[in-house]
Amino acid sequence: MSFEDLPADWPARPLGDPVIGADVVDLVVNDTDRRQGGLGFLLCRPEGSLAQPVMLTDVGHDPAGALTAMARVVVDLPATSGFVLAIARARGGVDDADRALHEHALQVCREHALVLWGTYLVTLAGVRHLPVAAQLRPRSGVA
């Protein structure tokens, strides 16, 4: 699927759904961002819908540090419960560095009481979801 498949009501849908999440990531992380590489943060409202995308393209050799710094900012934003993480680069598959960054994102979100609605690798070839264990999946607070 791709952003061209998004339903008309996608802005109201939670990004914790990996199909919707992947399509929205595909929409907001453009080809230039993918070529340059970096981290995308799709800031989410409490119910998980997109509030604002933010792209950091100058993360250097410390993407974990950039992620931690961004989480410290997000925690103070009003009506923002967490984010979707998009790891952008031109090509390649999910590797150990991506998995480590994903694990770091889970830890940082737990420490800051944020919801990690999803993590995706975004390349020029497409979008790949990095799944988490069932007990770590985001909850919207709805019973």
Side-chain angles (χ1 to χ4, degrees):
M1 297 195 48
S2 75
F3 68 88
E4 295 170 344
D5 300 319
L6 280 167
D9 67 341
W10 73 264
R13 293 204 185 182
L15 299 184
D17 173 337
V19 174
I20 296 293
D23 289 350
V24 174
V25 166
D26 192 38
L27 175 69
V28 302
V29 181
N30 64 41
D31 285 350
T32 300
D33 294 332
R34 296 174 199 212
R35 281 187 202 95
Q36 282 185 297
L39 298 177
F41 296 86
L42 284 67
L43 307 182
C44 296
R45 296 179 181 91
E47 76 283 355
S49 64
L50 179 65
Q52 178 69 45
V54 176
M55 190 71 197
L56 301 178
T57 56
D58 189 17
V59 297
H61 296 291
D62 189 17
L67 192 154
T68 300
M70 188 64 178
R72 290 184 186 132
V73 171
V74 173
V75 77
D76 290 328
L77 296 175
T80 304
S81 66
F83 54 87
V84 168
L85 176 63
I87 304 166
R89 66 170 172 264
R91 62 188 49 85
V94 175
D95 61 22
D96 289 343
D98 300 326
R99 290 182 194 94
L101 188 59
H102 177 58
E103 186 61 37
H104 181 71
L106 288 165
Q107 178 182 341
V108 166
C109 284
R110 280 191 299 268
E111 290 170 1
H112 289 85
L114 294 169
V115 177
L116 181 62
W117 290 95
T119 300
Y120 299 86
L121 172 63
V122 189
T123 67
L124 293 168
V127 178
R128 301 242 353 236
H129 179 244
L130 280 75
V132 297
Q135 68 271 22
L136 297 177
R137 287 195 185 117
R139 295 185 226 3
S140 65
V142 177

